Amino acid sequence: VAAIKADGLVDALSTKRAVFLGEHHDAAADHTLQAEVISRLRRKVGARPMAVGLEMVQRRFQPQLDLYTAGRLTEAELRKAVDWDRRWGWPFQTYVPVLKAAKRARASLLALNADDEDAAPVSAGGLAALAPDARRRYVSDPKASEAFARTVAFKSYVGYTIRPSYAAHVALGILPATDPNAWATTTVFGCWSIPGVAAGRSELPRR
């Protein structure tokens, strides 16, 4: 693996329509890096519309994110408004640089995570326990989803992203290894970001 300078990285990222930034949730350095990438990308792409998706905010709180980007909520007010401490739990202050950078960059903020209200029935009874209207939010086209699940791309996503995430949550004691519905719960959380990102991208003009 060859090292790359910051300017070269930003030049490469600026040509992409979507960029995924990983993190250790409790690592302040990771969030500082995310904030720097957002800031540098804004300077590179000029006035082009940008959006920043937030795994740590559940979908029901999109209106609160909109209020924050509009300057009508402070960071402290946003923390309470999205029920951060209960629904996400990782240190809020480490994410503040990301929020501020996105706001300064005039980027839209997108709530990507599944609502607890949807995850709870899945955890108790599997995907079949999810109410039909909620299920449609995750799987709007069952036939297309079934076909996509057979592709190499989806299997690679599950292998490189969902399964390691599930294993990490088991190792941390967040999910039980013997719970038959734990995998379904992980899938709901892990895959909900895909339509959220797609929806955000659809609002951004192509170059």
Side-chain angles (χ1 to χ4, degrees), residues 154-198:
F154 182 78
K155 291 177 181 178
S156 296
Y157 169 70
V158 170
Y160 285 103
T161 303
I162 299 297
R163 290 189 184 278
S165 175
Y166 173 69
H169 282 74
V170 170
L172 290 170
I174 298 174
L175 290 174
T178 58
D179 183 350
N181 297 318
W183 173 249
T185 305
T186 303
T187 302
V188 167
F189 277 99
C191 294
W192 177 243
S193 61
I194 296 175
V197 171

Side-chain angles (χ1 to χ4, degrees), residues 23 25 31 56 84 88 90-99:
E23 66 179 50
H25 298 323
H31 302 306
M56 60 292 309
W84 181 284
W88 184 244
W90 297 96
F92 178 79
Q93 287 303 317
T94 62
Y95 287 87
V96 169
V98 177
L99 296 170

Side-chain angles (χ1 to χ4, degrees), residues 91-136:
F92 178 79
Q93 287 303 317
T94 62
Y95 287 87
V96 169
V98 177
L99 296 170
K100 288 185 174 181
K103 191 174 182 179
R104 285 194 300 269
R106 303 179 306 283
S108 301
L109 290 176
L110 304 178
L112 297 183
N113 216 337
D115 294 334
D116 282 352
E117 290 78 4
D118 290 336
V122 174
S123 179
L127 291 173
L130 200 60
D133 61 331
R135 194 179 304 123
R136 281 191 292 272

Side-chain angles (χ1 to χ4, degrees), residues 44-169:
K44 179 66 179 179
V45 304
R48 191 199 315 173
M50 283 178 58
V52 175
L54 301 175
E55 175 203 6
M56 60 292 309
V57 179
Q58 296 178 7
R59 288 278 297 188
R60 65 172 49 241
F61 298 117
Q62 183 61 52
Q64 286 73 22
L65 286 181
D66 294 340
L67 289 174
Y68 172 74
T69 56
R72 296 170 60 185
L73 290 179
T74 65
E75 283 81 26
E77 290 169 335
L78 178 67
R79 178 179 183 174
K80 293 181 179 179
V82 301
D83 199 11
W84 181 284
D85 294 337
R86 187 176 71 85
R87 292 178 183 251
W88 184 244
W90 297 96
F92 178 79
Q93 287 303 317
T94 62
Y95 287 87
V96 169
V98 177
L99 296 170
K100 288 185 174 181
K103 191 174 182 179
R104 285 194 300 269
R106 303 179 306 283
S108 301
L109 290 176
L110 304 178
L112 297 183
N113 216 337
D115 294 334
D116 282 352
E117 290 78 4
D118 290 336
V122 174
S123 179
L127 291 173
L130 200 60
D133 61 331
R135 194 179 304 123
R136 281 191 292 272
R137 291 200 295 271
Y138 296 96
V139 186
S140 59
D141 187 337
K143 291 184 178 180
S145 296
E146 183 178 352
F148 180 59
R150 293 194 292 267
T151 65
V152 173
F154 182 78
K155 291 177 181 178
S156 296
Y157 169 70
V158 170
Y160 285 103
T161 303
I162 299 297
R163 290 189 184 278
S165 175
Y166 173 69
H169 282 74

Side-chain angles (χ1 to χ4, degrees), residues 22-44:
E23 66 179 50
H24 296 87
H25 298 323
D26 58 349
D30 288 8
H31 302 306
T32 299
L33 176 60
Q34 291 170 334
E36 183 65 17
V37 170
I38 292 170
S39 298
R40 285 176 178 252
L41 277 174
R42 168 49 74 207
R43 292 195 293 269
K44 179 66 179 179

